[in-house]
Amino acid sequence: MKISNFKFQIRPRNFYVLLLVLIISIGIFFRFYNLNWGAPYYFHPDERNIASAVTRIEFPNNLNPEFFAYGSAPIYTAYFIGVGQNFIENFFYPIEDPFTLKFEQAIIILRILSASLSTLIIFLVFILLYKKLNIYFSLLGAVLTGLNVGLIQYAHFGTFEIWLTFLFLLLFYSIIIYIEKNSKAKLLLIGIVLGLLISVKVSSIVIVPIALITIILYEIKKAKAYIKKYLLVINSLVSLAVILLAAAITYIITSPYTLLDFKAFISTMNYESGVALGTINVFYSGGFVQSIPIIYQLTYVYPYLLNPINLLVLFFFTPILIVSLIKNRNELLNLSILFCLVIFLSQAFLYVKWMRYYIPTIPFLIILIILGVKLLADKIKRDSIKKIALISIFSLLIISSLIHSFSYFYTVLFNNYSTVSASTFAGGNIPRDSKLISEVYDMGILPFNSKFSNITLFDFYALDDEWVKDEKREELDNLIANSDYIILPSQRILRNRIMYPNHFPEGNKFYNKLQTDKFDLIYQTPCDFYCKILYLGNPIYSLEETANVFDRPTLFIFKKNIENFKFQILNSK
């Protein structure tokens, strides 16, 4: 055969497969790049607590992780993966105790699990949309999922948000498949996934009634096939029994110490519920003072998690989705809205409204965006106008998602960790024997410890504590009088005290004074063009603080201005 006569052809099906592989590959790159961020400090407090729980396990002598703020399924998964890794490595060099994991090892395994599950979420969204719509909309869904900043960010945390997101989506998929194929084996899968969800986080139990009611409604829908109604009741009870039994067994196997160490479990639940309801005041929930449920999430959370353009597009499609919900029986639409509302509303009215609570809603919101595009396209009669509309919307969604994800990649993952950069600046610009003051509850000061030996940690949160505020204000006055620099390794406390002066009057007074001529701001974490895109112009005030407080906090270094200095909080005006 002559080379000139050879023609290379790609069949449409193969082209779409290659396109899906490309989309998932980009998603994998964003999720696994710089997975070891923050080493060797590892700044995320929840991640550190979870990793510590993993290291406490030693099979078979001790299987109690002694940590009940979350469930145990991911903890055991990470542990046994680590043990397997130790045995493999033991072939090459001896390991003293293969059944004990190191802290850093646990962190990396937990992050790999998060990144892997975040990648599987892309594929699950694609499969769901492909089964119900067509290849174009399913590929768009995969792109939006692969480029979603919330899913990329939490893929880099060894926490359980991605576990919850994946399992909620897998439960959703299992129910859809059961409705389509009416297979009792799928009921078993639904039960196992429910058990795992509760084993990851007990509050996931809110989805159990939804799953059960959906199954019952489906059984009622099939009722015409039964000659006698009692058969419907029996079949429904058997279905519910299979689900609940499978869920219970899965939960007990994967979180046995919630029963074996029930007292510790209940104690943790009481504390966590107290924080969530606002009856227990903790320093890390101050950002939710005066927050209005739903409005707060729509203005401070979802513009980051979805990106502002995609959120506006979703708002635009909301009337179309509601009309379709009322008029049509679209299982994908109905269940997507139901799942999204249950996950969102179960958290929305709590005192705490952190980003992580809403990560599990992301895939369902993306599905709703895709359904909105499809419903709009169906209403356009002329093919030429429909084609232009679809190309325009597809382009808008993809380009905005790409810009947002690249901004996160460049700002957070590609650049050096912001606290490490600040400590490098301090090491080159502040005398080593200087006296420094910093925050007691923030791990961002750790990189400074190797450069400065005289760092005093002060509880700035206590300035507005009614029981000790007088004592603390006087203590701070004395500290500042005998110190040279103040380092704020996180914007969290400054943001809250500046934004809510009525709630934090003494803290507000102090942080406003820092910005006078008595102190010189010699360093602030820079925010370039991509940073401003990612954080809507201002990384401190535009978003809920956990958008960046763990992986890219804004850090401040103030130098005391000796010439102008006369600083006193106590009895000052």
Side-chain angles (χ1 to χ4, degrees), residues 289-307:
V289 172
Q290 300 174 7
S291 58
I292 302 174
I294 299 178
I295 300 297
Y296 184 88
Q297 289 90 337
L298 292 179
T299 53
Y300 286 98
V301 174
Y302 281 109
Y304 176 79
L305 292 183
L306 280 183
N307 93 46

Side-chain angles (χ1 to χ4, degrees), residues 374-385:
K374 177 68 166 58
L375 291 169
L376 178 65
D378 291 343
K379 292 182 178 297
I380 301 174
K381 303 301 181 183
R382 291 181 59 181
D383 289 341
S384 58
I385 297 177

Side-chain angles (χ1 to χ4, degrees), residues 31 143-153 304-307 362 366 401 405:
R31 282 156 176 76
V143 170
L144 299 188
T145 308
L147 296 177
N148 180 267
V149 163
L151 297 179
I152 295 171
Q153 180 179 34
Y304 176 79
L305 292 183
L306 280 183
N307 93 46
I362 290 173
I366 290 173
S401 297
S405 59

Side-chain angles (χ1 to χ4, degrees), residues 33 128 173 180 186 234-235 251 261 286 288 291 330-331 343 371 423 435 462 488 490 492 522 531 539 547 557 559:
Y33 183 87
L128 277 163
Y173 177 76
E180 286 182 350
K186 298 299 182 295
I234 293 174
N235 199 60
Y251 177 76
D261 197 359
F288 306 115
S291 58
N330 185 322
E331 293 161 356
I343 298 168
L371 288 172
S423 70
K435 296 179 180 180
L488 305 182
S490 163
R492 168 184 282 178
I522 63 170
C531 169
I557 302 177
K559 179 182 179 181

Side-chain angles (χ1 to χ4, degrees), residues 60-127:
N61 301 320
N62 178 36
L63 290 175
N64 186 355
E66 300 174 20
F67 180 68
F68 299 105
Y70 298 97
S72 301
I75 293 174
Y76 289 132
T77 303
Y79 173 75
F80 285 109
I81 288 174
V83 170
Q85 178 190 0
N86 287 346
F87 273 101
I88 293 172
E89 292 181 358
N90 200 43
F91 285 108
F92 302 97
Y93 55 88
I95 294 178
E96 183 177 347
D97 183 4
F99 289 102
T100 301
L101 269 62
K102 296 178 181 178
F103 178 78
E104 295 81 1
Q105 181 185 14
I107 289 278
I108 297 303
I109 292 172
L110 286 164
R111 289 184 179 183
I112 289 173
L113 287 169
S114 291
S116 301
L117 291 175
S118 186
T119 302
L120 288 176
I121 289 169
I122 304 172
F123 187 71
L124 261 182
V125 169
F126 171 82
I127 291 296

